Amino acid sequence: MSIKVRYFASLKELIGQATDDCEFVSGMTVQDVWQKLLPEKSMPANILAAINMEYVSLDTLVKDADELAFFPPVTGG
Amino acid sequence: MSIKVRYFASLKELIGQATDDCEFVSGMTVQDVWQKLLPEKSMPANILAAINMEYVSLDTLVKDADELAFFPPVTGG
Amino acid sequence: MIKICTSAFEPYKEIEAYQIQQKKSLAGKQGAANVFVGTMRDFNEGEEVKGMTLEHYPGMTEKQLQHVLAEAAEQWPLLDSLVIHRVGDVFPDDVLVLVAVWSAHRGAAFDACRFIMEALKSKVPFWKKEILKDGECRWVDKNTDGYVG
Amino acid sequence: MIKICTSAFEPYKEIEAYQIQQKKSLAGKQGAANVFVGTMRDFNEGEEVKGMTLEHYPGMTEKQLQHVLAEAAEQWPLLDSLVIHRVGDVFPDDVLVLVAVWSAHRGAAFDACRFIMEALKSKVPFWKKEILKDGECRWVDKNTDGYVG
């Protein structure tokens, strides 16, 4: 019962790791996962989140075994 | 003392020739040249004219030795 | 650069060849290129088209294309531009026109390339005569506006 | 087609190679192609840039690019599209991105190519980290809107 969490780019450097695991609790949102894993770090205002590689808002519920990613605004092209 | 006249595309076929010469008369306009050379043909409404390869309006004065061209709307690209 | 071609040309090979001479002057500066390639279709206005003859006004064609490129360079910060247009007898799938524009920024490259194409279609003295399926010929009477549809 | 490249690629050669397989399906139908090529400059925000690392989110990158192409194909009558994006370590004058779009009509080709580029820049998970002249690194913090300037 866990969620795989991934960080990218400047956020990965800020947090100091690329991946993490979060114990799944029914009813938890994207924001709750952040709070649980990084209680001492405030979430950047422009942060983006994706569940299973699709964009989601921060109040989206997560499901067990989801891959949840946090990253800064994209800058490709 | 003459003007070189050129016709292009469908207009060339309509008139049946690609070039003509027009005796130069001081004060004559683009339209006057057409009237003089083709008195029996009414000027097509969408006709374009160029003097020395630059677009001009039909009331522009011509000068001796000018190259005057008449042609239909362009359709390149 | 402006080129009028009387035989078939390969647009992407032309760009590559052009970029070799261009390289030094654009090094480090070019962030964006926008390229338009216009190709002959085998249909137009609901009819099958077998071939086409592209007539032009030699001399005026180049002069008007220069005006169009100069106007684009006044409106946008362009680094370079290339226009190649085919004339003579062409067949479906032949390339008719290539416009390539280089700039530091993509907005300028897109806008200028499109501007050049529209100006070319409305101002540069080329004329198309289509050969239809039954061998009949017809002059294309006007170009449509490329900013709509 | 979508391709993520970990090493340098030549955009115009890629298009030519792609068009060989594509040929049969587009024969007679393609009137217009619009191509955008984005290249690394040696300056950004007033600073000299020596190199760059392009990070991405493998899997999500492809998924989001597919969404962008599907959205473009819904809005415009496209015949085909090709997107190639570079990742990893890049240097000035390296090509970063290629977008090519084929349609019967030029308006659709221009609009769709630009839409794909803007959507790519705002939605597809790539991130640029610049290496400045003094060896210092900085993450590019946001992309600008390409519809203005």
Side-chain angles (χ1 to χ4, degrees):
Chain A
M1 298 287 275
S2 80
I3 288 158
K4 186 181 176 189
V5 181
R6 303 182 68 171
Y7 307 107
F8 288 93
S10 56
L11 200 61
K12 176 176 65 183
E13 292 184 0
L14 184 81
I15 292 165
Q17 61 195 90
T19 59
D20 205 347
D21 284 288
C22 179
E23 193 197 337
F24 174 69
V25 178
S26 179
M28 79 197 303
T29 66
V30 169
Q31 199 144 16
D32 294 337
V33 175
W34 179 283
Q35 294 296 337
K36 194 157 180 182
L37 295 178
L38 303 161
E40 77 293 352
K41 283 208 163 65
S42 63
M43 213 180 221
N46 57 7
I47 200 168
L48 297 171
I51 291 178
N52 302 330
M53 303 181 177
E54 298 289 359
Y55 284 101
V56 292
S57 62
L58 301 177
D59 56 3
T60 305
L61 290 171
V62 293
K63 298 185 309 298
D64 186 31
D66 272 352
E67 173 170 304
L68 170 60
F70 290 107
F71 47 82
V74 304
T75 56
Chain B
M1 300 289 276
S2 79
I3 287 159
K4 186 180 178 191
V5 180
R6 304 182 66 171
Y7 307 107
F8 288 93
S10 57
L11 199 61
K12 175 176 67 184
E13 292 186 358
L14 185 79
I15 292 165
Q17 61 196 90
T19 58
D20 205 346
D21 283 287
C22 179
E23 193 196 339
F24 174 69
V25 178
S26 183
M28 80 196 302
T29 66
V30 168
Q31 200 143 15
D32 294 337
V33 174
W34 177 284
Q35 294 297 336
K36 194 158 179 182
L37 294 178
L38 305 160
E40 77 292 351
K41 282 207 162 66
S42 63
M43 211 180 222
N46 57 6
I47 201 169
L48 297 171
I51 292 178
N52 302 329
M53 303 181 178
E54 298 288 359
Y55 284 101
V56 292
S57 62
L58 301 177
D59 56 3
T60 304
L61 290 171
V62 293
K63 299 186 309 299
D64 185 32
D66 273 351
E67 173 170 306
L68 169 60
F70 290 107
F71 46 81
V74 304
T75 56
Chain C
M1 194 181 68
I2 286 166
K3 233 164 106 174
I4 305 300
C5 269
T6 53
S7 57
F9 70 97
E10 299 193 63
Y12 304 108
K13 286 211 172 39
E14 293 281 345
I15 295 175
E16 288 197 309
Y18 186 65
Q19 283 194 319
I20 291 167
Q21 355 160 337
Q22 189 195 48
K23 206 131 237 175
K24 277 175 202 152
S25 60
L26 299 198
K29 284 182 282 192
Q30 61 148 321
N34 191 245
V35 174
F36 179 83
V37 177
T39 305
M40 194 193 152
R41 294 186 311 244
D42 61 9
F43 60 92
N44 191 28
E45 314 240 327
E47 293 227 50
E48 201 177 318
V49 182
K50 286 174 70 176
M52 211 158 66
T53 302
L54 263 157
E55 185 177 330
H56 78 127
Y57 183 174
M60 181 162 175
T61 303
E62 292 83 351
K63 206 169 190 175
Q64 295 301 320
L65 278 173
Q66 291 292 5
H67 289 336
V68 169
L69 296 189
E71 227 185 298
E74 264 172 44
Q75 283 189 62
W76 293 280
L78 303 184
L79 294 166
D80 202 3
S81 53
L82 169 67
V83 176
I84 304 179
H85 203 291
R86 179 82 182 275
V87 294
D89 295 330
V90 296
F91 298 95
D93 295 323
D94 278 3
V95 171
L96 303 179
V97 60
L98 162 72
V99 176
V101 160
W102 289 267
S103 178
H105 300 285
R106 70 190 186 284
F110 272 111
D111 284 337
C113 186
R114 191 160 192 172
F115 168 85
I116 291 167
M117 262 311 292
E118 296 309 312
L120 183 157
K121 287 203 157 235
S122 66
K123 293 180 189 166
V124 184
F126 294 106
W127 301 274
K128 288 182 185 131
K129 188 186 201 171
E130 295 174 335
I131 304 152
L132 302 181
K133 202 185 170 183
D134 54 10
E136 208 196 318
C137 288
R138 69 174 178 198
W139 287 96
V140 175
D141 64 351
K142 63 172 187 297
N143 272 333
T144 51
D145 182 349
Y147 283 106
V148 292
Chain D
M1 194 183 65
I2 286 167
K3 233 164 107 174
I4 306 299
C5 269
T6 53
S7 57
F9 70 97
E10 299 192 66
Y12 303 110
K13 287 211 169 42
E14 293 281 346
I15 295 175
E16 288 196 309
Y18 186 66
Q19 284 193 319
I20 292 167
Q21 354 160 337
Q22 190 196 46
K23 205 131 237 172
K24 275 176 203 151
S25 59
L26 298 199
K29 284 184 282 191
Q30 61 148 322
N34 191 246
V35 173
F36 179 83
V37 176
T39 305
M40 194 193 154
R41 296 186 311 245
D42 61 8
F43 61 92
N44 192 27
E45 315 241 327
E47 295 225 50
E48 200 178 317
V49 182
K50 287 175 69 177
M52 212 159 66
T53 301
L54 262 158
E55 187 177 328
H56 78 128
Y57 183 174
M60 180 162 177
T61 304
E62 292 83 351
K63 205 168 191 176
Q64 295 301 319
L65 277 174
Q66 291 292 5
H67 289 336
V68 169
L69 295 189
E71 227 184 300
E74 264 171 44
Q75 283 187 63
W76 293 279
L78 303 184
L79 295 165
D80 201 4
S81 53
L82 169 67
V83 176
I84 304 180
H85 204 291
R86 179 82 182 275
V87 293
D89 296 330
V90 295
F91 298 95
D93 296 322
D94 278 4
V95 171
L96 304 178
V97 60
L98 163 71
V99 175
V101 160
W102 289 267
S103 178
H105 300 284
R106 70 189 187 284
F110 272 112
D111 284 337
C113 185
R114 191 160 193 173
F115 168 84
I116 292 168
M117 262 311 292
E118 296 310 313
L120 183 157
K121 288 204 156 232
S122 66
K123 293 180 190 165
V124 184
F126 294 106
W127 301 276
K128 288 181 185 133
K129 187 185 201 171
E130 296 174 334
I131 303 153
L132 303 181
K133 201 185 171 183
D134 55 10
E136 208 197 317
C137 289
R138 69 173 179 197
W139 288 96
V140 175
D141 64 351
K142 63 172 186 297
N143 272 334
T144 51
D145 182 350
Y147 283 106
V148 292

